[in-house]
Amino acid sequence: MTASYPHLRLRRARATGWSRALHRETVLTPANLIWPLFVAEGRGVEEPIGSLPGVSRWSVELIVERAREAVALGIPCLALFPNTPAEKRSDNGEEALNPDNLMCRAIRAIRDACGSDIGVLTDVALDPYTAHGQDGLVDGAGYVLNDVTVSVLVAQSLNQAAAGADIIAPSDMMDGRVGVIRAALEREGHENVQIMSYAAKYASAFYGPFRDAVSTRGLLKGDKKTYQMDPANSEEALREVALDLAEGADSVMVKPGLPYLDIVRRVKERFAVPVFAYQVSGEYAMIEAAVAAGVGERDALVLETLLAFRRAGCSGVLTYHAPLAARLLGA
Ligand code: PBG
């Protein structure tokens, strides 16, 4: 209470549960969640990922069980990432174009089991398929070549769309890819397949556990700084978003998540389009490590971080905690 304004008490609205509910500005529901899943070769296979405690790779028929679980929990969309067997990885990542690759088999199996009850978002980039772990084709010096990579990404997108993908999500950060992928989808009769571009994707230290999950950590030589963004930049993020929207993206993503909420907010205010964020593997692992160290409570940390994404302006969040959060929110 201040001496000059004794009647101004913001605590009045916070005094009771009903009043806090009445004044809450932001809501989080299971409909705001996208669940990333890692697909493994084989049958009956569940492979826990050491650096992502609580997350496993699943073989296709077990991925279908996860899809059914997601439908039951009210999670509207899955994001799929394949752990391509080592012998199918090559310098040019041709396996990405195989209509029977792990990704396409998982898409078809989910589609057969769940129909249109759930959306399937598929990552477009070559890193799970290349022997060098880069997202595109490289020259002799290891530089990732833009335009030849884009032509492969177009073929990869069409391959995923033909298998039944609902949202194509290019995560490669090549210039110009959204426009040519959009044109190809239109040409091939996939006019209702959406594009969610990883528009502002940063060269981040938070992707480590993901690289374990898709077995690229040991393969990757160097880094991805010649195509992913410098964490120092936000004007550049606005340019990236503007280009992807002009080229035909339906929605855009910011990645990583919590350390980049300022980018989410700037993008939302500037463009007023659906913005998503990826709470990436390192962020998940940090929460789990905090819980294991006894410094925080998992359920509360998860719900607070996800609410923060919504408050910043996100339509939804890709998070490995999606099933936990959906359970907590549904209760
Ligand atoms: C690769 C891709 C990455 C992630 C999603 N797609 C890793 C990378 O760029 O090296 C990271 C997701 C996460 O860390 O959870 N195209």
Side-chain angles (χ1 to χ4, degrees), residues 4 29 33 49 64 67 103 106 179 214 270 273 283-284 300-301 324:
S4 42
T29 78
L33 304 171
I49 299 153
V64 168
M103 177 71 116
V214 298
R270 171 77 63 95
V273 296
E283 298 178 72
Y284 172 96
L301 291 170
L324 168 67

Side-chain angles (χ1 to χ4, degrees), residues 63-80:
I63 286 285
V64 168
E65 280 183 25
R66 301 288 77 71
R68 290 205 171 96
E69 187 182 339
V71 171
L73 287 167
I75 297 171
C77 191
L78 306 175
L80 300 180

Side-chain angles (χ1 to χ4, degrees), residues 1-12:
M1 189 179 80
T2 64
S4 42
Y5 303 106
H7 54 295
L8 292 183
R9 297 179 189 270
L10 294 189
R11 291 186 55 195
R12 235 176 250 134

Side-chain angles (χ1 to χ4, degrees), residues 26-258:
T26 309
V27 287
L28 174 70
T29 78
N32 304 127
L33 304 171
I34 298 176
W35 185 7
L37 289 165
F38 299 106
V39 194
E41 202 51 82
R43 260 195 87 74
V45 174
E46 173 180 358
E47 298 168 344
I49 299 153
S51 55
L52 276 177
V55 177
S56 295
R57 304 181 198 102
W58 308 88
S59 53
V60 169
E61 87 289 359
L62 296 178
I63 286 285
V64 168
E65 280 183 25
R66 301 288 77 71
R68 290 205 171 96
E69 187 182 339
V71 171
L73 287 167
I75 297 171
C77 191
L78 306 175
L80 300 180
F81 300 93
N83 184 32
T84 307
E87 69 275 12
K88 293 191 173 155
R89 299 188 193 216
S90 61
D91 282 348
N92 293 338
E94 290 93 347
E95 179 65 7
L97 311 186
N98 174 1
D100 284 316
N101 68 21
L102 197 48
M103 177 71 116
C104 291
R105 278 181 278 133
I107 300 167
R108 282 195 295 269
I110 295 168
R111 188 57 67 234
D112 288 348
C114 300
S116 58
D117 289 345
I118 194 154
V120 179
L121 177 153
T122 54
D123 202 77
V124 167
L126 298 181
D127 53 318
Y129 311 93
T130 53
H132 44 70
Q134 293 288 359
D135 290 21
L137 307 187
V138 296
D139 68 12
Y143 182 77
V144 175
L145 298 164
N146 197 87
D147 297 6
V148 288
T149 295
V150 168
S151 60
V152 182
L153 299 177
V154 170
Q156 180 184 23
S157 303
L158 290 175
N159 191 35
Q160 294 173 352
D166 299 289
I167 306 179
I168 299 293
S171 73
D172 53 282
M173 290 299 281
M174 298 301 113
D175 286 321
R177 85 282 205 220
V178 170
V180 282
I181 290 171
R182 184 71 265 162
L185 290 171
E186 299 292 317
R187 195 175 59 236
E188 300 294 324
H190 301 300
E191 64 275 6
N192 281 336
V193 171
Q194 302 176 30
I195 296 177
M196 181 189 294
S197 73
Y198 286 71
K201 175 171 175 179
Y202 289 85
S204 170
F206 285 94
Y207 304 150
F210 174 95
R211 293 180 187 166
D212 292 332
V214 298
S215 308
T216 58
R217 199 202 281 260
L219 299 176
L220 185 63
K221 288 173 200 67
D223 54 44
K224 300 190 177 183
K225 289 179 183 169
T226 70
Y227 47 107
Q228 298 179 350
M229 282 180 55
D230 183 338
N233 298 352
S234 78
E235 300 293 340
E236 189 187 358
L238 300 180
R239 290 188 79 190
E240 283 284 2
V241 169
L243 281 170
D244 286 4
L245 290 172
E247 291 175 31
D250 299 281
S251 54
V252 294
M253 197 198 299
V254 173
K255 175 183 175 193
L258 280 192

